[in-house]
Amino acid sequence: MTWMTQLVHQGMVYVPLGYTAGAPQFDLTEPHGGSPWGPGTLAGADGSRMPSQAELDVAKHYGTYFSGFAEKLGSDEEGAVAN
């Protein structure tokens, strides 16, 4: 995370997931990856574990969330990103 400040200073736009994914993000009935910083998965020690449905749902939500932000960023509307 220490590189984040350097990259943002150079103009990178970082769009964290936050707590926007809802229920799959807080489900404690099974182990899962991901955090407010972004989606993720637990691969297991040998990489054999496949992403769970909850992890896939959070990743899909993040893709939609990120693309919405990118669309606003590319629009000509003044203040579109702030909304």
Side-chain angles (χ1 to χ4, degrees):
M1 296 315 298
T2 58
W3 264 103
M4 192 64 62
T5 54
Q6 299 298 319
L7 296 172
V8 170
H9 175 75
Q10 297 297 323
M12 181 186 85
V13 177
Y14 177 66
V15 183
L17 177 63
Y19 295 102
T20 63
Q25 201 170 2
F26 301 106
D27 183 14
L28 300 177
T29 59
E30 65 175 340
H32 58 83
S35 73
W37 295 102
T41 189
L42 301 175
D46 60 357
S48 63
R49 182 182 177 273
M50 298 304 293
S52 69
Q53 189 58 48
E55 291 167 332
L56 294 172
D57 290 345
V58 170
K60 183 175 180 180
H61 167 77
Y62 182 69
T64 304
Y65 181 74
F66 183 87
S67 66
F69 187 87
E71 185 177 326
K72 289 179 183 179
L73 190 63
S75 79
D76 290 335
E77 280 184 55
E78 189 174 320
V81 176
N83 294 330

